[in-house]
Amino acid sequence: MKAMNEMHLNFPSISTNEGFARAAVAAFAVQLDPTVDELCDLKTAVSEAVTNSIIHGYRDTIGKVYIDCKLLQDNWIQVKVRDHGCGIENVEQAMEPLYTTAGDERAGLGFAVMKNFTDKLKVQSKPGKGTTVIMEKAFSPRVRQNG
Amino acid sequence: MEAEEKTETQEKRPVRLLLHEDTLTALLAGEIDHHSAREIREAIDMTAMRVRPAQLVLDFGDVRFMDSSGVGLILGRCKIMEMWQGHVAVQNMPPKLERIVSMAGLHDLCEFRKVEKDESNE
């Protein structure tokens, strides 16, 4: 599908960039005139994907996280979050709610949130090569008050 | 004790702790993600381990954003409080953050409540 507009970002996998990444994607998405709730959902999903790359993909190392954002037809937005980190051995297992390898402080809800807060989720991963998460979300068309 | 010298423009601290009798209250503010959760967790745990309160209240009234790191933060504090049979209460969770909370089934694990903000305390 042809993109109406696009945006590309990359940044080192340090945790201060989690807030920057979701704010940047939200600022780009605003042109589709989403509701406050829709924008909040998108920010939450992006935050989960970026956090996964930082704490799982690159674990104790620093690597680059890439975000590719596209505006598609009919108020759809696609957000791709990629890393060249360690990858996931078993994607199906990693996507199960409450599954986590990161200990007590992680809820194991990352993928469940991405799935619930967007309309489409695809995860591609190769151990040793990295992970790509592709999320798509449709914003509701809004009737303008002043016509 | 720290002196409270802040300018108006300064962002609220991510966590402020109040100890009243056997209740430790953590007033959380801003955005809770994996990055900010660390500072919040360390501040709460350092005090909680020392005073071993009967109750830990986590107040989300001023939280604008939270991802699943906030859920992990709550779950982790429940674990800590269990060490001395303490109890965790989650207070003033904003409606827009309810969805992630119910996804995690937190309502079965700790008490949720709403309280009116006491402005005289500020």
Side-chain angles (χ1 to χ4, degrees), chain B residues 83-103:
Chain B
M83 287 164 56
W84 50 87
Q85 278 83 50
H87 153 258
V88 174
V90 175
Q91 191 164 285
N92 297 333
M93 184 60 78
K96 68 171 182 181
L97 303 180
E98 273 293 336
R99 193 153 141 225
I100 202 161
V101 166
S102 45
M103 259 181 70

Side-chain angles (χ1 to χ4, degrees), chain B residues 8-66:
Chain B
E8 292 277 326
T9 49
Q10 222 170 335
E11 176 89 333
K12 269 196 174 171
R13 267 184 286 162
V15 58
R16 282 191 302 148
L17 296 171
L18 303 171
L19 183 64
H20 181 68
E21 286 167 7
D22 55 1
T23 296
L24 179 65
T25 302
L27 299 167
L28 311 175
E31 308 207 336
I32 302 183
D33 60 11
H34 156 253
H35 178 74
S36 66
R38 182 186 171 159
E39 180 185 344
I40 297 171
R41 175 174 80 231
E42 287 173 355
I44 295 174
D45 289 1
M46 206 165 69
T47 304
M49 300 284 229
R50 191 161 43 89
V51 300
R52 298 186 164 232
Q55 178 171 244
L56 172 67
V57 177
L58 301 171
D59 189 304
F60 284 78
D62 286 327
V63 175
R64 296 191 313 267
F65 172 88
M66 158 178 143

Side-chain angles (χ1 to χ4, degrees), chain A residues 15 18 22 47-48 105 116, chain B residues 31 34-35 67-68 99:
Chain A
S15 63
E18 292 158 8
R22 62 177 178 265
S47 196
E48 300 292 350
E105 292 297 327
N116 259 273
Chain B
E31 308 207 336
H34 156 253
H35 178 74
D67 64 15
S68 70
R99 193 153 141 225

Side-chain angles (χ1 to χ4, degrees), chain A residues 51-52 54-57 59-60 94 98-110, chain B residues 34 41 68-69 72 76 79:
Chain A
T51 302
N52 269 357
I54 292 175
I55 63 183
H56 296 290
R59 254 171 244 177
D60 302 321
L98 309 182
Y99 177 82
T100 182
T101 54
D104 280 351
E105 292 297 327
R106 303 298 311 165
L109 285 177
Chain B
H34 156 253
R41 175 174 80 231
S68 70
S69 308
K79 279 247 166 73

Side-chain angles (χ1 to χ4, degrees), chain A residues 8-15 17-18 20-21 46 49-55 57-58 61-68 80-85 131:
Chain A
H8 307 276
L9 270 181
N10 72 73
F11 47 85
S13 61
I14 48 180
S15 63
N17 284 330
E18 292 158 8
F20 162 72
V46 169
V50 171
T51 302
N52 269 357
S53 287
I54 292 175
I55 63 183
Y58 293 114
T61 61
I62 298 290
K64 264 192 181 169
V65 180
Y66 301 82
I67 295 184
D68 304 294
K80 210 186 268 190
V81 179
R82 290 184 289 133
D83 65 62
H84 299 309
T131 301

